[in-house]
Amino acid sequence: MRKLLLLICLAAFGSVHAAPDGLKLYTKHCSVCHNENGIGGIGLPLNSYKVESFPRDYLLKTIRLGREGRVMPAFKKLSDAQVNAIVDYLLSWKKTTIEVVFSDTPVDGNPVSGKLLFEHHCAECHGMDGKSEGIGTGVSLSREREFQVIPPALNNPGFLGAANDQWIRHTVVNGRAGTIMPSQKKLKLSNTEVDNIVSYLRSFEAQSAPLEKHQDEKPTLIFDSPYDFTTTIGNIKRSLQGLNFRYFPDRYMEMGLIDDKEVNKKQLSLRFCNFNLLYEMINIEPRLGVVLPCSVTVVEGDDGQVKLYVMNMKVVSRVFNNAQLTEAAEKMHLKLMELIDEATL
Amino acid sequence: MKKYPGLFLLSLMLCWSPAQAENMIMLRVSHSFDNTMILIKEKLDDYGYKVAHIQKCDTGLSDSGYKTDFYKSIFFGKFEEMRHLTATYPELIPYLPIKIAIMQEKETVLIVAMNPETLSPLFPSEELAVQFARWESDLRAIFEEVSETQKLEPLNPVTFPTTINQH
């Protein structure tokens, strides 16, 4: 009880004038991926040697822009004061007090030679086109990963929008101690070669494809069944078996929320999984559980018309901000369409 | 573009797709898996939700080689909401009931829900906007309380038989 009172007092007095609390905000918004003490996990490490050289501006922009298609969200709803508080908190991990600033002067290298150097020295980790190699940028520590620290995507608009040339140059020169990211010295690159590589990375900006627009796509796919309620359900189950889906017990939509007798018996969810596909997808994106299992809900309207409702995986997969998942979701989508086609034929 | 980094940034921000924002509500706790389940169920109850059912996801997954100790989803809702929403907005059906996924990861448990607010642009409607906002605020509050419980009152092993050290 005393604790409760204390809490109420804290809440009442603490929140009125206090500046946003960086630690609290970091814990709430970042630590799930970057870990409480910044050692990384799903997101990159942010702590120790690295925080010493992070420019403030890079951190501010990274939080705002996120990394499209690479799991890290864009934090657009936080106020400027809140973003600043998070950055202050991150920078409080520094052992030195030197403020790091990298000038906006562009690096003037030759991107054409840079490309060749990149392919030779960097592509094995960052991918031929800079979109990063290897699986692992998911939200989970339990998914398979090919690298301890996943090499970030360098063709990413969020990265290129946050990092200026001099900061990228600094990274290429120094590498990232404690990770497999090598330094200029280790790769025996000349200064000119480093410049060429940086200019090549910058050139991704011009190439970055305009974001795919799916705005017009519907989140739910709705189909009319030519059959009655019971026949439709039978058909779907038969197709599920044929297509190698494993299915779970049927559930009425309202089941568990009200007495079984009251449940609307004209809304039945058939729920199923294709474990091979699912395994592929959940390994890319463990958070997928929030939209699983796959289901087709069969509903009979007042007019007797039977309709099928299916989540549009192509739309939903984008919610996860994980480009690899979006690709895998296409496959799942096709499989579902096959199922519907068969069941409503 | 190289000469106008500001312009690039601006165009970046303008064409940013809404799917990019903070679409997941997440929390990592260091409770045991079972305690986390119990806590979430309690909090859902406090906020007037009924747990419709719990889906065990781990068996099928580990059959196919996925490495997770525990992975469950809690489906929950309110009867009146469900009846009204499925009748008025049947296109929402595949997204109901709302769920929270809970997975064990090493010594921590990760709790995730899709931010209902994310659905708002997909289902444009004033009434639904209010509904999504309410769900979001409830979920955030529930997550917050789950994370705070951990700090304030360590779970009593008598009331909550724990499985610590068993896996």
Side-chain angles (χ1 to χ4, degrees):
Chain A
M1 191 60 196
R2 220 184 298 156
K3 249 186 230 157
L4 191 68
L5 274 179
L6 186 70
L7 260 187
I8 293 171
C9 293
L10 279 178
F13 296 104
S15 62
V16 187
H17 295 296
D21 179 341
L23 163 64
K24 214 171 159 206
L25 289 164
Y26 177 85
T27 308
K28 185 164 174 190
H29 297 287
C30 322
S31 69
V32 72
C33 294
H34 290 283
N35 212 301
E36 260 169 75
N37 42 21
I39 58 169
I42 294 121
L44 293 174
L46 302 175
N47 63 345
S48 69
Y49 73 92
K50 208 167 154 184
V51 70
E52 304 293 340
S53 57
F54 268 144
R56 188 179 182 87
D57 185 57
Y58 172 71
L59 294 175
L60 290 172
K61 285 182 179 151
T62 300
I63 296 171
R64 282 290 190 220
L65 293 173
R67 298 276 168 102
E68 191 213 343
R70 298 281 303 172
V71 178
M72 160 110 184
F75 293 87
K76 288 181 289 189
K77 283 192 182 164
L78 296 177
S79 69
D80 286 347
Q82 286 175 313
V83 175
N84 267 301
I86 296 174
V87 172
D88 284 339
Y89 174 66
L90 287 176
L91 294 177
S92 76
W93 292 341
K94 280 171 67 159
K95 294 198 177 68
T96 62
T97 50
I98 308 158
E99 165 139 23
V100 189
V101 183
F102 290 92
S103 85
D104 282 332
T105 318
V107 164
D108 194 14
N110 177 344
V112 180
S113 352
K115 181 175 181 353
L116 297 173
L117 290 162
F118 183 87
E119 287 170 0
H120 185 68
H121 295 288
C122 325
E124 63 170 300
C125 294
H126 292 288
M128 277 310 238
D129 46 6
K131 85 172 194 216
S132 169
E133 203 55 61
I135 58 166
T137 301
V139 74
S140 156
L141 302 170
S142 46
R143 66 171 296 193
E144 280 170 17
R145 42 206 289 149
E146 290 170 358
F147 296 91
Q148 185 62 30
V149 174
I150 312 292
L154 303 178
N155 68 347
N156 190 280
F159 169 67
L160 294 169
N164 65 22
D165 284 6
Q166 298 299 334
W167 161 239
I168 299 180
R169 191 174 197 290
H170 170 91
T171 305
V172 181
V173 168
N174 293 283
R176 293 245 166 123
T179 78
I180 47 177
M181 164 76 195
S183 63
Q184 171 187 11
K185 204 166 143 205
K186 180 139 185 244
L187 294 176
K188 301 197 174 68
L189 295 169
S190 71
N191 286 343
T192 315
E193 286 175 321
V194 170
D195 286 352
N196 294 347
I197 292 175
V198 173
S199 295
Y200 174 59
L201 295 185
R202 185 54 70 196
S203 75
F204 287 139
E205 214 159 58
Q207 297 162 20
S208 71
L211 293 168
E212 274 186 78
K213 288 232 163 66
H214 303 259
Q215 257 81 340
D216 46 332
E217 259 188 79
K218 295 265 178 280
T220 300
L221 305 167
I222 305 173
F223 305 89
D224 283 334
S225 168
Y227 305 103
D228 67 26
F229 192 66
T230 321
T231 315
T232 306
I233 292 167
N235 287 353
I236 296 175
K237 287 190 176 171
R238 229 183 348 268
S239 324
L240 279 173
Q241 266 170 345
L243 289 168
N244 235 339
F245 279 102
R246 186 196 299 191
Y247 62 86
F248 303 121
D250 307 340
R251 289 190 66 88
Y252 294 111
M253 286 297 288
E254 294 171 356
M255 240 164 108
L257 300 177
I258 186 106
D259 206 85
D260 273 354
K261 290 195 297 279
E262 311 276 324
V263 161
N264 181 347
K265 302 256 176 6
K266 296 290 176 196
Q267 304 172 327
L268 187 76
S269 277
L270 298 157
R271 304 160 329 119
F272 49 87
C273 274
N274 172 317
F275 279 103
N276 289 336
L277 259 181
L278 183 67
Y279 171 67
E280 184 187 333
M281 288 174 76
I282 211 154
N283 209 17
I284 294 170
E285 181 48 86
R287 296 173 297 177
L288 202 64
V290 301
V291 295
L292 292 175
C294 296
S295 67
V296 174
T297 306
V298 185
V299 177
E300 183 180 320
D302 294 336
D303 55 359
Q305 173 67 53
V306 174
K307 286 181 191 287
L308 309 180
Y309 294 87
V310 187
M311 193 182 272
N312 187 345
M313 289 306 277
K314 289 201 290 187
V315 171
V316 171
S317 64
R318 290 202 305 275
V319 164
F320 295 86
N321 188 28
N322 186 335
Q324 281 178 304
L325 178 74
T326 312
E327 283 169 30
E330 295 275 335
K331 274 196 239 169
M332 186 62 108
H333 176 77
L334 292 176
K335 202 95 182 147
L336 285 171
M337 290 310 97
E338 211 180 316
L339 171 73
I340 301 287
D341 275 352
E342 267 192 46
T344 54
L345 208 66
Chain B
M1 271 303 191
K2 187 164 151 191
K3 290 202 191 92
Y4 308 103
L7 195 67
F8 173 72
L9 201 65
L10 187 71
S11 57
L12 206 69
M13 287 173 159
L14 286 179
C15 62
W16 215 255
S17 92
Q20 252 267 66
E22 224 185 328
N23 290 342
M24 298 286 151
I25 305 180
M26 294 188 281
L27 174 69
R28 205 182 278 285
V29 292
S30 42
H31 301 313
S32 72
F33 189 85
D34 293 354
N35 284 7
T36 311
M37 291 289 291
I38 292 169
L39 253 173
I40 294 175
K41 281 190 260 178
E42 275 183 6
K43 299 296 170 197
L44 284 170
D45 191 57
D46 290 351
Y47 282 80
Y49 293 97
K50 233 182 136 170
V51 173
H53 79 120
I54 293 172
Q55 178 88 45
K56 226 166 118 43
C57 314
D58 28 34
T59 6
L61 280 176
S62 37
D63 286 354
S64 34
Y66 185 74
K67 290 183 216 73
T68 172
D69 295 328
F70 291 102
Y71 194 145
K72 285 185 181 158
S73 303
I74 300 184
F75 293 67
F76 60 94
K78 297 178 181 175
F79 168 70
E80 294 79 15
E81 261 175 23
M82 179 67 105
R83 178 147 293 185
H84 170 67
L85 293 174
T86 56
T88 321
Y89 308 97
E91 63 278 12
L92 211 55
I93 283 177
Y95 296 83
L96 299 176
I98 344 173
K99 336 176 194 350
I100 297 179
I102 302 152
M103 55 197 108
Q104 174 99 43
E105 294 201 323
K106 307 215 165 94
E107 304 82 42
T108 65
V109 175
L110 179 64
I111 311 169
V112 192
M114 192 200 283
N115 184 351
E117 192 56 39
T118 305
L119 298 176
S120 220
L122 299 175
F123 298 98
S125 137
E126 265 174 50
E127 187 192 8
L128 287 181
V130 173
Q131 178 70 70
F132 294 141
R134 188 178 318 129
W135 281 337
E136 174 181 3
S137 101
D138 285 355
L139 277 170
R140 286 202 186 278
I142 289 166
F143 277 43
E144 188 108 24
E145 286 178 30
V146 168
S147 81
E148 263 157 26
T149 309
Q150 163 188 34
K151 282 172 211 140
L152 292 178
E153 313 149 26
L155 290 179
N156 180 348
V158 179
T159 0
F160 302 101
T162 67
T163 49
I164 292 177
N165 298 335
Q166 278 177 20
H167 42 255

